[in-house]
Amino acid sequence: MSHVNKAKQIKEISGVNPLKCMKCGKCSASCPSYNEMDIKPHQFVSYVQNEDIESLVASKSLWKCLSCFACVERCPRDVKPGKLIDAARQLVVREKGQTYLSPDEVPELLDPETPQQLLVSAFRRYRR
Amino acid sequence: MSIENNNEFRPKIVAFCCNWCSYAGADLAGSSRLAYPADVKIIRVPCSCRVNPMFILRAFEKGADGVILCGCHPGDCHYTTGNYYARRRMTLLFSMLDYIGVENGRTRVEWVSAAEGVKFSQTMNEFVEKIHSLGKNVRLGDLRCKN
Amino acid sequence: MQRIGVFVCHCGSNIAATVDVKKVAEMALLEPGVVHAEDYQYMCSEAGQARIQAAIKEKNLTGIVVCSCSPRMHENTFRSAAEKAGLNPYMVEIANIREHCSWIHKDMEEATKKAVILARAAIAKVNLNAPLKPGESLVTKRALVIGGGIAGIQTAIDIADAGYEVDIVEKTPSIGGRMSQLDKTFPTLDCSACILTPKMVEAAAHEKITIYTYSEVEAVSGFVGDFTVDIRKKARYVDSDKCTGCGVCQEKCPSKKSLSEFNRGLNTRSAIYTPFAQAIPNVPVIDTDACIKMKTGKCGICEKVCQAGAIDYQQKDEIVTQKYGAIVVATGFDTIKLDNYDEYAYNQSKDVITSLELERVMNAAGPTKGHLERLSDGKHPKEIVFIQCVGSRCADNRGKSYCSKICCMYTAKHAMLIRDKYPDVNVTVFYIDVRTPGKNFDEFYRRAVEDYGVNYIKGQVGKVIPQPDGKLLVQGADLLDNKQILKEADMVVLATAIEPNPDVRKIATMLTASIDTNNFLTESHAKLRPVESPTAGVFLSGVCQGPKDIPETVAQAGAAAVKAIGLLAKDKLLTNPCTAKSDQLLCNGCSTCANVCPYGAISYEDIEVNDHGIRETRRVAVVNSALCQGCGACTVTCPSGAMDLQGFSNRQIIAEVDAICR
Amino acid sequence: MQELVSRAKELLANGTVERVLGWKAGDLPYNPEPAYFYVEEDFDNFVYNGFCGANLSKYMIEASKMEGKTLVFLKPCDTYSFNQLIKEHRVDREKAYIIGVGCKGKLDIEKAKKAGIKGIESVAGADMSDACDTLTFQTIYGEKTCAYADVMLERCHVCKGKEHVISDEVIGESNDTKDAERFAEVEKIEAMSPEEKFAFFQKELSKCIRCNACRNVCPACSCRKCVFDSTKFDSAQKANVDSFEEKMFHVIRAFHVAGRCTDCGECSRVCPQGIPLHLFNRKFIKDINEFYGEYQAGADTDSRGPLTNFTFDDVEPSIVTERG
């Protein structure tokens, strides 16, 4: 798939029009995982706009987003970067044959402190 | 296209233009020497909302091959709201004509501002071309034919 | 049968080079009704006009068609030429064979053919023309200004200075408006009251100005030049003629717990009150919801202490009915409610305030006597964060889509004033863009940064989190450094979006003035008629038309005044005769036409008719030709075809269609 | 039915109303017609059964001009027409005493005839008190029966509901007769190719004899003078068979009532040539619903009709081409 197509697909999945962004940064200001991210929420918009999807799907940020939707809730322009991130994640999941993780990979990654609920919700998200 | 060829189809096209935007746009097309086919004849109306669907049907009845309505862009109507009403009326009329099997390219609405001479000329060129591709209007003339 | 003359213009070679003008004249003679046709070099020249006039007289013409340039160019020229020759000017039609023909076609035969058809259509139309006469209506030489803020005051003074009577209707107990609530004004930093109060006094003292405060417009009827307006003067319970404005009643009033509207609810006032010290008129009003006497019948202290005997608990609302020639709307603005913006914690912390509230806090007559204090604990703040674009530029449905325009500048002002007065206070401004078009505006903003050390950060704030110790944790973004910022602040000031005063909807409906989706009144033309409403005789002053600062408001107020004066200076108005007209025999009285009329020009009357021997009362539409602008929306919506437009009648347009399609 | 008659007589007797607008028996068992009733004896002819399809609201335009109140019987769907007429100031609410009558679906005798039931002498099973599930015909060829629903008017298969949107009182039960999608027929045509559409309408419209029955019965076509009879549009050209109105009459008529038509179906009911005229009106209603939001004319008396209203972002007319 070309970059253009991928960008188009992300826009379709998310229903987001990146051109509506006025670059106010409220998403990055709202993000609880901001410091963990290499590409910041407001930059997501420009990556999609510039059709640089490769960097996006390779980024750490993709898996650092908690889907708390603070950015979706507060975005004044209806751009909602959280949805873009979610869409990029779906793109990856789709390419990996509907699975980002296989069950046998899980135990190794587990932190005993991780609450059960988080695991369940993670599975819900990454196994569509 | 040369006019020496008498067999060539020369469509009859009526363009209703509102006085404040589109008629002025047509004037600008003229003063900018932006050509469009002579088949288009303009009727000046104060506002697009003055155009009664009966006028459009009348034109077809009398042998017009295409009818186009031009008005101010939505939001720019000289009378503030006229084109909004025109937009609804024309949408419903065109949909009805489509429904009874009249080729839907024969009617068109285009918003042309007083500054859009280029758009006016382009629109008319496109429209005439479209009517050429549709050929002579027979259906509206034949809508009711006793068999 | 008409006797029509056709005049074909060469326009030098503009037409004649592409259109065979002789042929057009020749063909025109074959059309029904045409008794004369000629061509001439320049029809619009004096000689050309003379030829037209001569033909009208010699051949007794009843109508003429001029085949020339666009009617937008010379229709009026030919109409007045015809009128001078004794022909009704509305018996003139123009066939546009220049812009719509000779200039866009190259082939002479083709262009000539088209010119003939265009002439034919105009002839067909003029065959059905009827002489029209512009109506006349008288102008009442008095203006009404709705709203007594700086916009209304300025408009009223300007109109009054031109010698016309003006009434100002102001909803609150005093004129002065938003500007009276401001502390200092940008970009000069002069004190708002110092420049406003003299204007208020001037308006109050002006012999041509009558001020109705604590009053509202209740009903409007009539039309340009002749409006009738009902003004409700709400009961003040204080006799304005007797009151000396000594203020003792306010001092002694035992009910002191009502929130002060003037101070944006940041402190309280008494039940009998004037909004602020310089109020005009300096006559208090009694707030019936708070007054103990009104609620329980006991108390009456104000009455006892009033030496002038001005208190009158029995006072009633009064309706004043007045006629006006022009109405100026100057209803101003308010800040939006922040209920949709939980993230800024406005409703959770007293130390998160709007900029307008900060104006009151900074003002010597305000709740803190001008000391910069946290409203929660009265402590002096060390760290203040300003957040820009709160509710402005929002594409979602929480806020407003537009830029409120004034916030960048007043925030720079606030930041600067704070840094000037309290150099120990750090000021941070989170902004999306800093917008400073205006004379000395950018310089002003740069001074805040360069001379006063205000810390501007490009990025929005995501959340304000009140801390247990009373501090406010501000989580924002710095987009230039690509950092997320957590900042502890003592106060947060929100540059809250402004919106038109909500009451303007009601007023617009009464005036049939149109309003946009944001409740701003629509101007007649965005560029060329910015202070006129599309409703004739209604003018717009100040923020009711769109966001503006004080100098712009004052400039627009003056412009609105000039437009109003231009109207009042006329004794009579000539009305456009190309108006809608309802055929009473056909009218069903169904009200559909009134629904689409943008001018409220259609009303309904019950008429007595004798229909084939049966007497009946019938409801029929009546068009007020002074209000009708001739758009024709009603003519198409009318199911029975009773409504027609003079000058562009159904039959005329159909005749043109037929002529073109023949 | 007796309940209607006794209530009507009561209201006449106590002076509440001056006259009663209802249906009287016709010359055949299945063709009752609208009639005024003034005194007790008049009611001998009164009838209300499955054949009383006629919508009486339009008669109230004239009745509103008479002295005193008129009692009018309105079926649920008729009340929409009445409301619409109130909105257009064509009837006077104060002059009407409305008894909402129950409706179990109205009948189309042509359907029975098509099913081979001819020479009808009497019909049973279509009275107010009947269950209205089976019809029994006595014919010169003997007794015949058929399912009630099979002989029902098209409009009752897409019934708007049992509720009277306006009434002073309601008498009688109604049945749920809706068993078809309102816009199914329109959708079928929309799915045709332009050639098929044209052929369909050309065939149907060619049947028209311009008897004006559709116009005369239509509660929305209540103009004092129809534009087709007026000189104002140069459209009254009776002499010429190939004239403007001949071709465009039904399209223009549908446009004139667009946004005001309640879809009462009277036009199709009365057409002697059996032209499905409701297909024009219903197309407009479908478009209005799709483009501008659900709208039922006559559902209220004060909202703005779709053609006298707008929003800033209404669809553009080009949607007709774009939707393919």
Side-chain angles (χ1 to χ4, degrees):
Chain A
M1 208 186 325
S2 72
H3 308 302
V4 182
N5 279 341
K6 279 190 183 171
K8 210 177 137 204
Q9 207 179 357
I10 285 186
K11 287 181 216 168
E12 265 169 30
I13 297 173
S14 61
V16 164
N17 174 8
L19 291 178
K20 290 184 83 178
C21 176
M22 64 172 172
K23 314 212 184 323
C24 70
K26 194 158 180 175
C27 42
S28 284
S30 300
C31 183
S33 304
Y34 183 92
N35 291 331
E36 311 283 321
M37 292 188 172
D38 44 2
I39 298 178
K40 309 300 186 189
H42 69 276
Q43 293 175 294
F44 263 80
V45 183
S46 36
Y47 273 80
V48 174
Q49 207 175 314
N50 299 332
E51 290 160 356
D52 184 3
I53 310 301
E54 289 304 308
S55 316
L56 205 56
V57 295
S59 72
K60 276 200 285 178
S61 306
L62 206 59
W63 312 102
K64 293 295 177 187
C65 166
L66 300 170
S67 293
C68 72
F69 282 1
C71 54
V72 172
E73 191 65 27
R74 292 176 199 157
C75 174
R77 303 295 304 173
D78 247 0
V79 179
K80 309 183 173 180
K83 290 198 166 176
L84 284 177
I85 297 172
D86 219 29
R89 248 179 338 233
Q90 275 203 41
L91 211 62
V92 175
V93 171
R94 282 182 194 182
E95 281 178 8
K96 278 210 160 193
Q98 304 296 309
T99 322
Y100 177 61
L101 284 176
S102 65
D104 46 322
E105 287 175 283
V106 175
E108 215 170 308
L109 298 167
L110 269 190
D111 178 340
E113 300 284 305
T114 311
Q116 283 277 307
Q117 274 176 326
L118 186 64
L119 276 180
V120 175
S121 73
F123 267 102
R124 234 182 245 141
R125 181 177 321 137
Y126 301 141
R127 294 201 46 143
R128 274 183 235 250
Chain B
M1 89 188 66
S2 100
I3 57 155
E4 275 85 61
N5 182 355
N6 285 331
N7 296 328
E8 199 197 351
F9 168 51
R10 293 308 303 249
K12 285 181 185 167
I13 291 169
V14 179
F16 290 99
C17 290
C18 85
N19 183 48
W20 306 96
C21 288
S22 307
Y23 195 91
D27 281 357
L28 182 59
S31 47
S32 318
R33 313 297 198 272
L34 299 163
Y36 53 88
D39 309 322
V40 178
K41 315 284 190 305
I42 295 169
I43 294 179
R44 182 167 68 130
V45 287
C47 175
S48 52
C49 71
R50 177 65 189 94
V51 176
N52 195 313
M54 286 179 81
F55 301 160
I56 292 174
L57 297 177
R58 174 74 168 210
F60 284 126
E61 148 81 11
K62 293 289 170 185
D65 301 295
V67 179
I68 181 165
L69 168 61
C70 298
C72 308
H73 285 267
D76 291 346
C77 175
H78 178 78
Y79 305 101
T80 61
T81 52
N83 50 5
Y84 292 124
Y85 297 117
R87 181 164 66 178
R88 283 200 169 190
R89 290 166 188 160
M90 293 307 138
T91 305
L92 290 181
L93 176 72
F94 294 180
S95 179
M96 177 53 79
L97 291 178
D98 176 54
Y99 180 69
I100 62 173
V102 174
E103 305 91 338
N104 57 29
R106 292 203 187 274
T107 49
R108 181 164 168 180
V109 167
E110 202 62 56
W111 311 122
V112 180
S113 82
E116 293 175 326
V118 174
K119 182 177 181 187
F120 186 86
S121 160
Q122 268 171 6
T123 302
M124 292 306 149
N125 278 306
E126 274 171 36
F127 190 60
V128 173
E129 203 172 303
K130 176 81 192 169
I131 300 302
H132 263 283
S133 74
L134 291 172
K136 200 154 175 49
N137 171 36
V138 283
R139 288 204 182 140
L140 270 162
D142 285 351
L143 184 60
R144 186 166 177 272
C145 129
K146 293 201 165 66
N147 30 343
Chain C
M1 194 67 180
Q2 306 273 22
R3 296 175 55 81
I4 297 167
V6 178
F7 303 87
V8 187
C9 179
H10 298 201
C11 197
S13 64
N14 278 310
I15 294 173
T18 340
V19 170
D20 181 347
V21 285
K22 297 245 183 280
K23 171 95 172 168
V24 174
E26 196 182 297
M27 295 296 284
L29 264 180
L30 304 176
E31 292 296 314
V34 178
V35 295
H36 173 88
E38 64 175 292
D39 60 282
Y40 184 68
Q41 201 76 31
Y42 290 105
M43 277 295 169
C44 62
S45 67
E46 246 173 76
Q49 292 185 46
R51 291 174 85 102
I52 294 174
Q53 289 167 330
I56 290 171
K57 286 181 187 149
E58 278 164 29
K59 306 233 169 145
N60 261 329
L61 300 182
T62 59
I64 64 168
V65 169
V66 186
C67 303
S68 60
C69 54
S70 172
R72 297 167 50 82
M73 199 73 105
H74 276 309
E75 189 171 54
N76 280 340
T77 313
F78 294 123
R79 276 184 176 167
S80 40
E83 192 171 21
K84 282 183 198 128
L87 186 66
N88 182 286
Y90 294 89
M91 296 304 294
V92 177
E93 290 294 334
I94 311 290
N96 183 346
I97 60 167
R98 192 178 76 174
E99 282 85 345
H100 294 185
C101 188
S102 69
W103 274 354
I104 46 170
H105 306 310
K106 292 219 162 61
D107 186 289
M108 187 134 190
E109 191 183 337
E110 194 175 56
T112 306
K113 259 192 198 168
K114 178 169 175 179
V116 168
I117 293 172
L118 293 178
R120 195 156 79 193
I123 295 163
K125 184 178 184 194
V126 91
N127 258 306
L128 296 167
N129 276 23
L132 298 175
K133 230 183 134 179
E136 274 183 358
S137 62
L138 294 175
V139 178
T140 305
K141 298 195 174 284
R142 189 182 192 97
L144 170 67
V145 176
I146 305 173
I150 181 61
I153 293 170
Q154 186 62 50
T155 303
I157 292 174
D158 288 348
I159 296 174
D161 280 348
Y164 298 101
E165 298 281 342
V166 189
D167 295 353
I168 299 177
V169 172
E170 165 59 43
K171 187 173 56 172
T172 69
S174 169
I175 57 169
R178 289 286 161 242
M179 190 174 167
S180 66
Q181 292 176 295
L182 306 184
D183 183 44
K184 301 281 191 300
T185 53
F186 62 77
T188 46
L189 295 183
D190 40 3
C191 139
S192 185
C194 310
I195 54 179
L196 174 67
T197 320
K199 288 253 178 223
M200 290 164 63
V201 174
E202 188 186 346
H206 206 296
E207 56 165 358
K208 295 276 185 191
I209 297 179
T210 309
I211 298 174
Y212 296 99
T213 52
Y214 211 46
S215 302
E216 288 182 48
V217 172
E218 183 118 324
V220 179
S221 60
F223 45 87
V224 53
D226 186 25
F227 295 104
T228 305
V229 179
D230 288 348
I231 300 162
R232 175 179 292 273
K233 286 176 70 181
K234 289 178 280 187
R236 286 182 109 94
Y237 306 104
V238 177
D239 187 330
S240 304
D241 296 334
K242 291 185 186 156
C243 176
T244 59
C246 68
V248 175
C249 52
Q250 301 181 55
E251 232 169 80
K252 302 286 182 198
C253 176
S255 168
K256 287 204 158 56
K257 295 222 169 103
S258 308
L259 294 177
S260 158
E261 294 86 355
F262 184 75
N263 282 326
R264 305 296 290 179
L266 299 179
N267 68 350
T268 56
R269 57 157 170 82
S270 45
I272 182 165
Y273 71 103
T274 44
F276 55 103
Q278 303 93 326
I280 287 182
N282 189 13
V283 176
V285 298
I286 294 179
D287 173 354
T288 52
D289 292 335
C291 173
I292 298 165
K293 171 83 179 175
M294 294 286 184
K295 286 197 297 188
T296 66
K298 294 179 198 120
C299 186
I301 291 174
C302 51
E303 190 177 25
K304 282 173 214 136
V305 300
C306 180
Q307 302 234 321
I311 307 292
D312 174 8
Y313 298 118
Q314 306 307 318
Q315 215 178 61
K316 294 266 177 314
D317 287 7
E318 196 186 321
I319 303 284
V320 179
T321 303
Q322 186 65 261
K323 284 197 162 267
Y324 299 100
I327 298 179
V328 182
V329 187
T331 46
F333 70 97
D334 204 340
T335 52
I336 64 163
K337 294 242 178 331
L338 290 169
D339 298 347
N340 289 334
Y341 287 94
D342 274 348
E343 67 259 40
Y344 296 125
Y346 176 75
N347 290 332
Q348 295 159 44
S349 169
K350 278 188 153 181
D351 301 321
V352 180
I353 59 174
T354 67
S355 301
L356 192 51
E357 287 163 5
L358 182 66
E359 293 284 351
R360 296 313 305 145
V361 170
M362 308 266 285
N363 189 274
T368 61
K369 310 257 177 310
H371 302 297
L372 185 63
E373 286 172 10
R374 279 158 55 96
L375 292 169
S376 59
D377 52 16
K379 281 188 190 147
H380 177 62
K382 291 279 184 197
E383 196 72 54
I384 300 186
V385 167
F386 285 84
I387 305 175
Q388 297 295 84
C389 297
V390 173
S392 297
R393 307 170 68 191
C394 283
D396 55 11
N397 47 19
R398 296 200 296 167
K400 302 291 175 186
S401 59
Y402 49 85
C403 166
S404 295
K405 199 172 186 179
I406 54 175
C407 324
C408 286
M409 285 302 288
Y410 69 58
T411 297
K413 172 190 77 178
H414 287 152
M416 211 185 281
L417 289 170
I418 290 172
R419 291 282 298 157
D420 187 53
K421 210 165 160 192
Y422 310 98
D424 60 321
V425 179
N426 286 321
V427 176
T428 306
V429 178
F430 283 92
Y431 70 96
I432 305 173
D433 301 290
V434 178
R435 297 178 165 177
T436 54
K439 195 158 113 184
N440 295 326
F441 280 16
D442 205 63
E443 295 90 323
F444 183 78
Y445 150 61
R446 290 313 305 168
R447 262 170 67 206
V449 178
E450 293 165 27
D451 299 350
Y452 289 88
V454 179
N455 181 22
Y456 270 78
I457 298 177
K458 177 164 171 61
Q460 251 297 10
V461 165
K463 199 168 165 74
V464 176
I465 310 143
Q467 301 295 297
D469 64 355
K471 295 253 185 195
L472 298 160
L473 187 63
V474 178
Q475 185 187 355
D478 183 334
L479 297 180
L480 298 181
D481 282 356
N482 220 1
K483 276 194 311 210
Q484 195 176 57
I485 293 176
L486 281 174
K487 200 172 192 64
E488 277 210 333
D490 300 303
M491 265 175 100
V492 170
V493 183
L494 307 176
T496 311
I498 58 172
E499 64 177 350
N501 196 312
D503 286 347
V504 77
R505 270 210 96 79
K506 217 167 60 194
I507 287 167
T509 309
M510 285 191 270
L511 294 170
T512 68
S514 56
I515 214 166
D516 69 16
T517 42
N518 290 314
N519 279 358
F520 287 116
L521 284 157
T522 314
E523 57 278 21
S524 193
H525 189 284
K527 279 135 270 180
L528 301 178
R529 301 180 71 189
V531 299
E532 291 133 292
S533 157
T535 304
V538 175
F539 305 97
L540 313 175
S541 177
V543 181
C544 67
Q545 178 263 339
K548 6 185 118 49
D549 59 20
I550 296 168
E552 281 179 326
T553 295
V554 172
Q556 203 203 17
V562 168
K563 294 293 175 185
I565 293 164
L567 169 58
L568 298 178
K570 294 186 179 122
D571 292 324
K572 280 176 183 168
L573 295 175
L574 279 188
T575 58
N576 166 22
C578 293
T579 53
K581 198 174 175 188
S582 163
D583 184 338
Q584 298 192 334
L585 286 174
L586 298 179
C587 177
N588 297 325
C590 70
S591 286
T592 315
C593 50
N595 278 335
V596 298
C597 178
Y599 306 102
I602 303 172
S603 57
Y604 294 86
E605 269 176 20
D606 286 327
I607 56 161
E608 286 275 333
V609 286
N610 190 334
D611 188 8
H612 297 92
I614 303 163
R615 288 189 68 79
E616 61 179 32
T617 310
R618 233 168 45 209
R619 177 187 156 89
V620 293
V622 180
V623 178
N624 183 327
S625 57
L627 285 178
C628 176
Q629 307 285 314
C631 69
C634 54
T635 61
V636 182
T637 208
C638 176
S640 66
M643 198 59 95
D644 210 345
L645 186 63
Q646 303 178 95
F648 291 93
S649 72
N650 292 323
R651 291 191 63 208
Q652 284 175 310
I653 296 175
I654 285 175
E656 286 180 90
V657 169
D658 289 0
I660 288 173
C661 297
R662 199 160 78 201
Chain D
M1 190 178 92
Q2 269 322 307
E3 213 181 329
L4 300 182
V5 172
S6 52
R7 182 64 179 140
K9 285 178 179 171
E10 195 181 325
L11 289 165
L12 269 179
N14 70 20
T16 309
V17 299
E18 293 292 321
R19 68 197 71 75
V20 175
L21 182 51
W23 303 267
K24 71 170 187 193
D27 50 351
L28 295 166
Y30 47 75
N31 68 348
E33 57 198 48
Y36 283 112
F37 302 82
Y38 297 92
V39 290
E40 282 218 12
E41 300 83 77
D42 292 349
F43 285 92
D44 298 347
N45 269 332
F46 184 91
V47 64
Y48 179 63
N49 59 30
F51 292 103
C52 295
N55 179 350
L56 301 180
S57 348
K58 190 176 184 179
Y59 295 88
M60 287 306 294
I61 297 173
E62 286 310 310
S64 292
K65 293 177 191 159
M66 299 176 190
E67 280 294 314
K69 277 197 178 193
T70 303
L71 189 170
V72 60
F73 293 107
L74 296 179
K75 304 185 292 292
C77 58
D78 302 342
T79 55
Y80 288 88
S81 308
F82 192 86
N83 250 1
Q84 184 63 26
L85 287 167
I86 292 181
K87 190 191 275 187
E88 295 171 12
H89 304 273
R90 305 288 282 137
V91 295
D92 187 347
R93 178 68 183 94
E94 299 306 310
K95 290 283 194 71
Y97 189 91
I98 302 170
I99 294 188
V101 289
C103 176
K104 297 179 173 176
K106 294 293 169 247
L107 299 165
D108 182 354
I109 195 64
E110 296 304 321
K111 285 192 176 169
K113 289 180 180 170
K114 267 198 195 123
I117 303 174
K118 300 200 170 144
I120 299 164
E121 290 179 315
S122 72
V123 191
D127 277 335
M128 256 184 109
S129 51
D130 293 324
C132 291
D133 45 14
T134 313
L135 285 173
T136 310
F137 295 89
Q138 299 301 331
T139 77
I140 50 174
Y141 310 108
E143 185 178 292
K144 299 209 168 158
T145 62
C146 71
Y148 192 92
D150 290 348
V151 191
M152 226 156 49
L153 286 163
E154 188 278 340
R155 71 182 189 211
C156 299
H157 291 286
V158 297
C159 178
K160 281 191 278 290
K162 298 196 282 187
E163 202 193 327
H164 294 84
V165 290
I166 187 167
S167 66
D168 291 302
E169 58 181 282
V170 175
I171 297 177
E173 293 290 307
S174 295
N175 281 358
D176 263 324
T177 61
K178 185 175 186 317
D179 57 5
E181 279 308 312
R182 187 181 182 189
F183 298 115
E185 285 181 278
V186 174
E187 279 162 10
K188 220 170 87 190
I189 298 170
E190 286 172 344
M192 293 179 185
S193 71
E195 292 71 28
E196 288 168 333
K197 288 175 183 172
F198 185 72
F200 174 83
F201 281 105
Q202 190 180 42
K203 179 166 158 273
E204 291 296 343
L205 293 181
S206 292
K207 293 184 202 160
C208 177
I209 53 173
R210 272 313 299 280
C211 67
N212 285 336
C214 49
R215 183 177 91 180
N216 293 346
V217 80
C218 175
C221 261
S222 60
C223 288
R224 296 181 38 73
K225 188 168 196 175
C226 177
V227 290
F228 286 103
D229 299 340
S230 142
T231 51
K232 290 208 151 193
F233 288 85
D234 285 344
S235 56
Q237 306 175 356
K238 284 262 158 60
N240 188 348
V241 283
D242 188 37
S243 68
F244 183 41
E245 61 170 318
E246 281 286 299
K247 278 182 227 161
M248 293 301 168
F249 177 74
H250 293 292
V251 175
I252 293 172
R253 205 187 78 80
F255 197 91
H256 273 196
V257 300
R260 308 192 295 126
C261 167
T262 65
D263 201 8
C264 77
E266 285 285 89
C267 44
S268 291
R269 185 180 70 85
V270 301
C271 179
Q273 296 292 82
I275 306 174
L277 293 165
H278 64 276
L279 290 179
F280 287 107
N281 303 321
R282 219 174 270 170
K283 167 64 177 167
F284 277 131
I285 294 170
K286 181 169 179 280
D287 279 346
I288 286 166
N289 286 349
E290 279 170 15
F291 296 150
Y292 313 121
E294 292 280 325
Y295 182 81
Q296 171 61 53
D300 61 75
T301 55
D302 46 17
S303 69
R304 274 187 167 217
L307 277 171
T308 56
N309 207 350
F310 63 87
T311 65
F312 301 108
D313 34 0
D314 278 342
V315 293
E316 293 292 328
S318 55
I319 181 117
V320 176
T321 325
E322 284 155 11
R323 71 185 167 190

